[in-house]
Amino acid sequence: MSKTVAAAVIGALILVAVLWTIFPFDGPAEEGQPAPHAIDQSE
């Protein structure tokens, strides 16, 4: 049972880390700077 819980916790942490890498949760950018993942697509 405890191994299952440990595996679930580790899997959840990995999932959060991957999502955090893809979508940085930095909140609103300060000083008018765009977020790192907000690529300018004006072209």
Side-chain angles (χ1 to χ4, degrees):
M1 180 63 181
S2 59
K3 289 184 179 180
T4 303
V5 174
V9 171
I10 293 173
L13 290 176
I14 294 173
L15 179 61
V16 169
V18 171
L19 291 176
W20 202 294
T21 302
I22 297 173
F23 304 105
F25 301 113
D26 296 333
E30 297 181 3
E31 299 181 4
Q33 296 179 349
H37 60 281
I39 301 174
D40 184 16
Q41 298 178 346
S42 61
E43 296 185 19

